Amino acid sequence: MPDAQRLRIETAQRIAADIAENFSDWASARARALDELKSELGLIPAGAVPSSSEIESAVRAHYDLFSHAEHAELLKGKRLFALSLLQAFENVDIFLTGAVLNGCAHADSIIVLDVFTDDVKAFEAALIDHGIDFEPVESPHSAMPDPLESLGALIYKRGSPTAEAVRFDLRPCSDRNRNPFRRKPDAYQQPWEAQGRISAQQLRQVLF
């Protein structure tokens, strides 16, 4: 195996361990690993920096190797809660996306829901109607254009003292056909987990 390829795999594994074990955010984990690599080598070889998809796959591989059953249970819980939210807003063009869908989520991962609407105020009113307190938050830059608005909420599970952090990314309807996170599934994913976003109907079908 070429040295650059080996380094890329090892760096992806290092980043994945930081994310999975320390709940580090992705940008910080990546920057920390590259700083460490530069300190060790003096210069990072061309081709040694893993892509986002390689890091994601390394995170899923880490969970599969070190906490397969526990992580599967965590994902199930977050996905079921996400489904309850999708169903609550079924009259809205809303989808689950991000780490909870693609299998990279840890206990502190935010449930990210994409909402396609040209009327931000109408969706804010819908949140208020459902008794959900929210506030504007920053959405990390991604391959998608920046949303019109990102709204963060801490939503308690019914009959439980625990809550999930949720981010609603409100996007214009013109972005509806953009899906840069759709990928070919790796060895640790089902095809639906790699499709970038999923509706309530689709999520019900795969969870039950």
Side-chain angles (χ1 to χ4, degrees):
M1 179 183 299
D3 287 345
Q5 182 181 358
R6 176 180 55 79
L7 275 174
R8 190 169 69 251
I9 293 170
E10 291 175 352
T11 302
Q13 291 170 340
R14 183 183 299 189
I15 296 169
D18 193 2
I19 292 167
E21 296 172 10
N22 302 322
F23 296 177
S24 296
D25 69 85
W26 288 59
S28 296
R30 185 177 183 276
R32 192 158 38 244
L34 294 181
D35 283 346
E36 291 172 357
L37 191 61
K38 188 174 182 180
S39 176
E40 292 167 4
L41 301 178
L43 183 67
I44 300 176
V49 178
S51 66
S52 295
S53 61
E54 288 172 324
I55 295 170
E56 284 184 9
S57 190
V59 170
R60 287 186 287 268
H62 186 97
Y63 284 128
D64 187 71
L65 180 61
F66 294 106
S67 56
H68 179 82
E70 297 90 339
H71 188 246
E73 189 66 21
L74 181 145
L75 281 179
K76 181 179 179 181
K78 283 185 175 288
R79 287 166 173 173
L80 286 171
F81 188 70
L83 177 60
S84 72
L85 293 174
L86 294 176
Q87 292 178 148
F89 294 96
E90 277 197 301
N91 292 329
V92 178
D93 204 13
I94 186 170
F95 301 84
L96 173 64
T97 187
V100 173
L101 172 60
N102 67 36
C104 288
H106 52 63
D108 288 351
S109 290
I110 297 171
I111 294 172
V112 181
L113 303 177
D114 271 348
V115 180
F116 293 93
T117 179
D118 292 323
D119 192 341
V120 170
K121 294 298 182 184
F123 186 73
E124 289 178 345
L127 289 174
I128 293 170
D129 288 343
H130 282 83
I132 296 175
D133 294 326
F134 61 89
E135 61 182 26
V137 296
E138 286 191 19
S139 179
H141 291 296
S142 74
M144 280 290 285
D146 289 342
L148 299 170
E149 187 80 79
S150 289
L151 305 174
L154 194 62
I155 305 176
Y156 283 86
K157 299 177 180 179
R158 181 172 296 180
S160 171
T162 61
E164 289 281 359
V166 181
R167 192 180 78 237
F168 299 90
D169 284 341
L170 278 56
R171 303 185 180 279
C173 294
S174 58
D175 283 348
R176 176 66 172 75
N177 292 326
R178 294 174 182 251
N179 189 1
F181 303 111
R182 182 189 295 274
R183 295 189 174 123
K184 182 178 179 181
D186 63 23
Y188 310 101
Q189 286 180 304
Q190 296 298 317
W192 61 269
E193 294 176 298
Q195 66 184 43
R197 66 175 70 106
I198 193 169
S199 68
Q201 180 181 3
Q202 293 170 314
L203 191 56
R204 272 196 304 267
Q205 291 174 346
V206 296
L207 291 182
F208 296 105

